[in-house]
């Protein structure tokens, strides 16, 4: 569950809802500057279901025992994180081998700094036991890719081109993931005085957010193209500006569904019941090219 504290309330976005939003972003990605990803359907499936393993866990409404509130997704135990993601990867891979590889790359990338450097680590290093569980998961998943990639390499292109495209699609998935998270947690009102854009990601450990300009992860315009760094920010209520703009048309709209409950202490049973009977709140964002 993605938990945000704002205006005396807790806003709860399920991970599979966040995934649905990422899938919508993937479906409209591409224009004269940014190439539409291929193979299209598996990539969109991976974007939509990259957090599939959270489905059962979010249904239980994981609980923060000390603070008596919903557990924020970055607060989960590391070994439990391994369990849920492994189940999610297995489910996705059963339906689409290429999507399964991408979701596995996303999962293990969370333990490897999103595959940014040989010694990189993720933000879920919770002691030696958790680190050992993560390392074992990465080793096993990379072994699984050997066979899975052979099956996924189905187009008439050299293996090097296939691998380059696969890693490009992985980088796109990381961008859609983080952009979706921005849409899930950011208040729709712009800041009075926007500050300098900062890399987006570390701020997600916080429960409270104020509108800020951020930099999304670097991504190439196409698998063999130049690297771009997209800046996003809220400049008008409910409008997200992007520079450069990567989508098929200006004015793309994206809905984010959340459950909004009072910000107070709960028992686990009370919280689960409260979330279960709370109707969804819809936040609609419009995505637009940056204007100065």
């Amino acid at each position: 569950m993605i938990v945000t504290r704002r205006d005396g309330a807790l806003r709860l976005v399920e991970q599979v809802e966040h995934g649905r939003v990422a899938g919508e972003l993937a479906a409209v990605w591409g224009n004269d500057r940014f190439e539409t990803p291929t193979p299209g359907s598996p990539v969109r499936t991976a974007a939509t279901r990259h957090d599939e393993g959270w489905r059962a866990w979010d249904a239980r409404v994981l609980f923060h025992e000390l603070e008596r509130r919903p557990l924020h997704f970055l607060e989960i135990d590391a070994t439990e994180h391994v369990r849920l993601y492994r189940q999610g990867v297995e489910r996705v891979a059963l339906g689409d081998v290429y999507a399964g590889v991408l979701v596995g790359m996303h999962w293990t990338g969370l333990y490897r700094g999103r595959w940014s450097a040989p010694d990189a680590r993720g933000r879920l290093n919770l002691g030696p036991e958790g680190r050992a569980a993560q390392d074992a998961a990465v080793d096993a998943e990379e072994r699984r890719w050997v066979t899975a990639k052979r099956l996924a390499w189905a187009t008439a292109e050299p293996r090097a081109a296939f691998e380059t495209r696969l890693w490009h699609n992985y980088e796109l998935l990381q961008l859609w993931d983080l952009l979706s998270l921005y849409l899930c947690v950011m208040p729709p009102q712009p800041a009075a005085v926007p500050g300098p854009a900062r890399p987006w990601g570390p701020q997600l450990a916080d429960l409270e957010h104020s509108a800020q300009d951020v930099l999304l992860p670097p991504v190439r315009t196409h698998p063999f193209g130049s690297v771009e760094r997209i800046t996003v920010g809220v400049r008008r209520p409910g409008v997200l500006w992007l520079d450069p703009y990567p989508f098929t048309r200006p004015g793309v709209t994206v809905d984010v569904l959340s459950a909004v409950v009072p910000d107070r202490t709960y028992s686990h049973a009370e919280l689960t019941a409260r979330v279960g009977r709370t109707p969804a709140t819809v936040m609609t964002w419009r995505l637009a090219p940056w204007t100065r």
Side-chain angles (χ1 to χ4, degrees), residues 1 12 56-63 70-71 268 271-272 275-276:
M1 197 81 72
L12 315 178
W57 272 255
D58 275 354
R60 289 156 42 192
V61 189
L62 299 183
F63 192 63
L71 193 75
H268 194 180
L271 176 65
T272 302
V275 171

Side-chain angles (χ1 to χ4, degrees), residues 8 16-17 33 42 51 74 79 85 103 121 141 165 176 183 215 239 252 260 266 273 275-276 286:
V16 291
E17 167 63 10
R33 188 167 185 169
D51 283 344
L74 289 178
T79 53
Y85 262 104
V103 174
R121 286 279 180 176
E141 181 62 11
R165 195 176 302 280
W176 298 327
L183 296 173
L215 293 166
V239 179
V252 169
V260 181
Y266 294 88
V275 171
R286 186 166 69 87

Side-chain angles (χ1 to χ4, degrees), residues 146-261:
V146 174
T147 301
K149 285 183 179 182
R150 288 173 186 162
L151 295 173
W153 181 31
T155 56
E157 64 179 353
R159 181 62 180 263
F162 165 82
E163 293 283 352
T164 301
R165 195 176 302 280
L166 177 67
W167 279 102
H168 173 65
N169 289 334
Y170 164 79
E171 291 172 353
L172 287 174
L173 175 55
Q174 303 320 291
L175 185 146
W176 298 327
D177 174 38
L178 285 166
L179 179 53
S180 173
L181 286 167
Y182 186 96
L183 296 173
C184 289
V185 305
M186 200 55 53
Q189 297 299 324
V193 181
R198 297 185 298 152
W200 176 241
Q203 305 93 324
L204 285 163
D206 300 330
L207 299 189
E208 298 183 53
H209 298 274
S210 56
Q212 58 180 288
D213 292 359
V214 303
L215 293 166
L216 297 177
V219 69
R220 294 184 183 275
T221 55
H222 61 83
F224 310 94
S226 59
V227 174
E228 294 277 9
R229 197 77 189 264
I230 297 174
T231 303
V232 302
V234 182
R235 284 291 181 274
R236 290 167 49 196
V239 179
L240 188 70
W241 302 99
L242 299 97
D243 181 29
Y245 187 77
F247 299 114
T248 54
R249 65 187 187 281
V252 169
T253 59
V254 179
D255 290 337
V256 180
L257 306 183
S258 63
V260 181
V261 300

Side-chain angles (χ1 to χ4, degrees), residues 40 101 124 129 266:
V101 171
L124 290 167
E129 184 179 346
Y266 294 88

Side-chain angles (χ1 to χ4, degrees), residues 108-109 111-122 135 138-139 142:
T108 50
Y111 308 149
R112 292 294 182 266
R114 296 185 188 257
W115 297 110
S116 57
D119 58 350
R121 286 279 180 176
D135 290 347
V138 172
D139 290 346
E142 287 197 273

Side-chain angles (χ1 to χ4, degrees), residues 15 18-20 22-24 26 39-52 85 88 92-93 96-107 166 169-170 172-174 176-177:
Q15 291 281 14
H18 147 65
R20 183 193 64 78
E24 289 198 10
S41 180
V43 172
R44 291 191 297 273
T45 296
T48 302
R49 302 186 67 191
H50 72 273
D51 283 344
E52 176 65 26
Y85 262 104
V92 176
D96 189 305
V97 64
Y98 192 102
V101 171
L102 276 177
V103 174
M105 293 165 75
H106 170 73
W107 167 35
L166 177 67
N169 289 334
Y170 164 79
L172 287 174
L173 175 55
Q174 303 320 291
W176 298 327
D177 174 38

